[in-house]
Amino acid sequence: MASALSRRLGKRSLLGALVHTPNPAGDGMLIPGLIQAFRSHPGKGKSSYTVSFEDGRFKECGEDSIIGPGFQSLSSFSLIAGQEVFLTVNGREEVGLVETHNKERNEVQVHVAGLGVRTLRRIEELRLMESRRSPRLQELEREHTRAGPPEHSVGGTSSGIDVPTRKSEGVDEIMAAMVLTSLSCSPSTNSTWTGRYTLTSSSITVAHPPSPPNKLSLHCPSTPPAVLLSLVWGISNMVMGFRLCGRHHYVKVASLDRRKAEADPSDGEEDFYYTEVQETSEDLPEYSSVPRSLSPPGFFPQNPPGVSPPLPHHEEVSDVPVSAFLSQSAPSCLWQVSADHPYKVEISQDPPVQPHPRPPSYPPCPSPTLIPNPPNSKVRGEAKKCRKVYGLENRSQWCTACRWKKACQRFHD
DNA sequence: GTTGCCGGGCA
DNA sequence: TGCCCGGCAAC
Ligand SMILES: [Zn+2]
């Protein structure tokens, strides 16, 4: 493989799913949003999700206040007048506005302006999202759900990491979560990579609540800890900015083979690769060094430039983006960061303060570092391997790989 | 020379 | 898949 750099990591999840939640403004309207982050509360048996709204706000929602595939059904909610809903009228999908909702009798009066009619429906017949499929199929599907148990538990008390077995209409673009806790580095053989980062874990751990100093655990032997600067995500990738050895690094982590992961959900994992996309030198205030164009336009209009989409840590709407805190230590809870956004990642020429693109002198950085190795260079691991440890005469004590003259399994570098 | 291990062969 | 080894590059 060209980049020689792929790692399996991450759990597929609901991240990126289009859902509806009660408007944080409190007007009772159910408004659309995207699942941005997921958090499990170990021991509590409940999960909460960070939902972003079209106006750029964020809210952390309990799973029982979210409507959508893999979450609650609309039936358990009260609709207020003015709520936009979709319904099937004479075999065609129409959009209408709720006028009244009688919960006891399960009657919702909907005004379908397009047809100039008012109709009385049960709430089960209403949808918050436009269907892409034919209403006929919708009806059939509804018959099915009525007849049998749901495919997966979406009950309000369900706990743990629920991975949907089905994706939502219009949101079949659910992308796997991008998650990682730590990176280690070793020589690279690819020119676009300025280092080889090996994911050593499969989750991104973000302390809760995030608090400075933001530290990213880089499992790079004999390097100082890296300081996380930013997490910015795109359609199928995430750019992580961190400072190490006095330099700023931007590593793009992207989904490698999504289709494969889709086809094999039992696997529960997905391939990602990551690439260093930018490196600048120090002297920048933190959070000011994120490539600006990385901020998702559109969906996060209020993001201050240079700040990643937040991982809110409050129950209420969070207007202030919060940077992530990555820690090697066991976190109290786990965030998974969505890697799915409707925009393209472009790496901007983020102008560092200092005008020279490559100053002749870098601050000293211990080795191994994230500095690139010459392409195609083959580096021998530091660690002593079975052969050396046990000696030729004790070949029987070697690990199998060593016995077979393969890469040692017992003593990793 | 020694060590680590890739790539290939064989059963 | 398990096993072995030629050969090469890093030390
Ligand atoms: Zn070994």
Side-chain angles (χ1 to χ4, degrees):
Chain A
M1 179 172 110
S3 66
L5 225 295
S6 83
R7 264 295 189 270
R8 301 179 62 72
L9 71 140
K11 281 180 178 149
R12 303 189 57 71
S13 73
L14 293 159
L15 300 177
L18 180 58
V19 297
H20 282 74
T21 75
N23 190 341
D27 60 5
M29 208 72 87
L30 300 171
I31 62 170
L34 287 181
I35 300 290
Q36 292 299 333
F38 158 76
R39 195 172 124 220
S40 68
H41 301 274
K44 286 190 189 168
K46 278 220 172 183
S47 307
S48 58
Y49 295 81
T50 299
V51 180
S52 67
F53 301 105
E54 283 168 331
D55 59 6
R57 286 173 305 167
F58 289 81
K59 185 190 181 186
E60 187 171 333
C61 302
E63 57 192 1
D64 41 10
S65 66
I66 299 174
I67 306 156
F71 295 98
Q72 305 301 304
S73 75
L74 180 59
S75 320
S76 48
F77 288 78
S78 297
L79 301 177
I80 65 159
Q83 173 73 50
E84 185 183 78
V85 290
F86 294 88
L87 68 164
T88 304
V89 183
N90 298 329
R92 287 189 51 180
E93 176 155 271
E94 301 288 346
V95 60
L97 293 180
V98 170
E99 291 186 333
T100 60
H101 179 195
N102 185 329
K103 261 200 134 175
E104 287 74 41
R105 304 177 62 177
N106 190 12
E107 283 176 357
V108 185
Q109 180 169 294
V110 181
H111 180 217
V112 184
L115 303 177
V117 298
R118 284 183 170 74
T119 173
L120 218 53
R121 296 297 175 105
R122 289 177 298 156
I123 194 166
E124 294 82 16
E125 299 171 54
L126 303 176
R127 303 176 290 277
L128 292 175
M129 280 183 276
E130 194 169 7
S131 168
R132 262 195 211 157
R133 277 183 284 161
S134 75
R136 174 86 193 119
L137 285 173
Q138 282 277 326
E139 294 293 336
L140 279 175
E141 181 180 290
R142 212 164 311 127
E143 291 299 327
H144 260 105
T145 22
R146 233 175 265 156
E151 282 178 79
H152 57 279
S153 164
V154 294
T157 53
S158 73
S159 63
I161 305 171
D162 270 347
V163 176
T165 54
R166 262 177 53 235
K167 310 232 161 147
S168 95
E169 321 259 355
V171 201
D172 49 4
E173 290 296 305
I174 293 180
M175 192 72 79
M178 203 350 277
V179 285
L180 57 123
T181 41
S182 54
L183 305 165
S184 66
C185 55
S186 59
S188 166
T189 57
N190 183 298
S191 57
T192 61
W193 294 67
T194 55
R196 172 170 159 172
Y197 309 89
T198 306
L199 293 162
T200 59
S201 182
S202 62
S203 62
I204 202 167
T205 53
V206 182
H208 185 78
S211 63
N214 300 316
K215 278 197 176 166
L216 166 67
S217 297
L218 281 172
H219 282 234
C220 188
S222 67
T223 52
V227 178
L228 181 71
L229 300 176
S230 63
L231 288 172
V232 183
W233 39 88
I235 287 178
S236 58
N237 54 32
M238 182 189 78
V239 174
M240 172 193 293
F242 57 90
R243 192 181 65 217
L244 183 72
C245 301
R247 254 162 290 173
H248 288 191
H249 300 264
Y250 293 97
V251 179
K252 185 163 80 180
V253 189
S255 172
L256 245 199
D257 190 348
R258 184 171 147 207
R259 202 166 297 174
K260 180 168 153 278
E262 216 114 78
D264 182 16
S266 64
D267 185 312
E269 290 186 329
E270 186 166 5
D271 287 323
F272 288 89
Y273 66 87
Y274 32 105
T275 319
E276 174 131 350
V277 292
Q278 193 181 25
E279 182 193 313
T280 66
S281 69
E282 177 55 298
D283 299 327
L284 307 176
E286 289 183 16
Y287 307 112
S288 71
S289 54
V290 182
R292 252 139 239 219
S293 62
L294 291 178
S295 295
F299 221 91
F300 300 104
Q302 294 172 352
N303 266 2
V307 184
S308 63
L311 299 173
H313 59 285
H314 287 129
E315 198 57 33
E316 64 270 12
V317 174
S318 165
D319 286 319
V320 183
V322 181
S323 66
F325 172 88
L326 299 186
S327 168
Q328 192 172 349
S329 56
S332 57
C333 53
L334 184 74
W335 284 97
Q336 291 186 314
V337 181
S338 169
D340 186 19
H341 269 289
Y343 78 105
K344 279 243 190 254
V345 167
E346 295 165 7
I347 307 305
S348 71
Q349 300 304 313
D350 176 46
V353 174
Q354 38 112 200
H356 314 296
R358 289 277 165 152
S361 64
Y362 277 126
C365 193
S367 179
T369 69
L370 293 171
I371 298 169
N373 270 44
N376 297 323
S377 69
K378 202 167 149 187
V379 200
R380 184 111 62 119
E382 306 259 286
K384 281 187 176 180
K385 303 298 164 63
C386 298
R387 181 182 176 128
K388 199 151 191 179
V389 170
Y390 302 109
L392 277 169
E393 55 283 350
N394 295 316
R395 195 166 183 265
S396 55
Q397 297 181 28
W398 298 5
C399 72
T400 25
C402 281
R403 262 184 282 129
W404 298 348
K405 290 170 93 176
K406 295 278 185 271
C408 180
Q409 302 166 327
R410 193 171 297 168
F411 305 106
H412 300 273
D413 294 325

